[in-house]
Amino acid sequence: MTGNLNRPIRVLVAKVGLDGHDRGAKIIATSLRDAGMEVIYTGLRQTPEMVVNSALQEDVDAIGISILSGAHLTVFPKIMRLMKEKGLNDVLVTGGGIIPDDDMKILNEMGVGKLFQPGTNTHEIVSYITDWVKENRIF
C-alpha cells in the first residue's frame, strides 16, 4: 500500500497500559502487514509517551491503539495532547477494543479517528487507514 506516498504506509500498533491481552493487536498488525503496510508493533505495557516518541522516530502515517482495559478516555486524550506538542498533526490516531459508542463519539470529537470494536473485519480497518492516508499524507 503506497497510496500517494512513494513508500509503503507505515503504521505503529501499540498496547498502552497494563492490559496484557494483545491477540487482537497482533491480528491487526499481521493484517496490515499482509496488505502491504510497514508495521511497527511496540508490544505490551507502553505509555502514551513511549507511543508518541516511537511514532515520531519511525515517521509513521498512523498509530493504532488497542485498548481493552477501559482506560480509553485517559489514554487517547493524552496521546493526542503529546502528538500536538510534538507537531504530529498529520498522523492518524485510530484504534479499537472495548469502547462504548458514547465514548467513541467523545474521542472522535477530540480528533481520534474511527475506532473499531472486536470482531471488525480486518479489510475494513485496512481500507480506513489506506483511505485516510491517501487523503491526508500526500508528499
Side-chain angles (χ1 to χ4, degrees):
M1 292 277 130
T2 60
N4 294 321
L5 304 175
N6 292 320
R7 58 170 174 73
I9 294 171
R10 194 170 295 129
V11 182
L12 181 99
V13 176
K15 289 291 297 183
V16 179
L18 299 177
D19 176 10
H21 186 282
D22 66 347
R23 183 172 181 227
K26 288 179 178 178
I27 289 169
I28 298 303
T30 300
S31 297
L32 298 175
R33 184 205 62 210
D34 290 350
M37 297 182 195
E38 274 184 35
V39 178
I40 300 96
Y41 176 60
T42 62
L44 296 170
R45 295 175 181 81
Q46 300 294 297
T47 65
E49 291 84 2
M50 293 164 75
V51 170
V52 173
N53 287 335
S54 294
L56 186 62
Q57 291 169 0
E58 296 288 348
D59 190 28
V60 299
D61 303 299
I63 299 171
I65 303 295
S66 171
I67 191 154
L68 301 168
S69 66
H72 48 273
L73 290 177
T74 302
V75 169
F76 280 103
K78 189 162 189 180
I79 287 171
M80 298 302 288
R81 181 181 53 78
L82 291 167
M83 287 179 62
K84 186 174 184 177
E85 288 174 8
K86 303 265 185 187
L88 294 175
N89 301 317
D90 62 346
V91 174
L92 170 64
V93 176
T94 185
I98 308 299
I99 305 172
D101 291 340
D102 290 343
D103 291 352
M104 283 187 187
K105 289 178 188 174
I106 292 168
L107 294 170
N108 294 148
E109 288 170 1
M110 68 177 55
V112 175
K114 187 172 182 178
L115 297 165
F116 301 93
Q117 296 286 351
T120 300
N121 186 307
T122 57
H123 296 292
E124 181 181 342
I125 298 167
V126 168
S127 294
Y128 173 71
I129 292 172
T130 301
D131 292 345
W132 191 95
V133 170
K134 284 181 181 178
E135 292 176 22
N136 296 282
R137 295 280 292 183
I138 301 170
F139 298 121

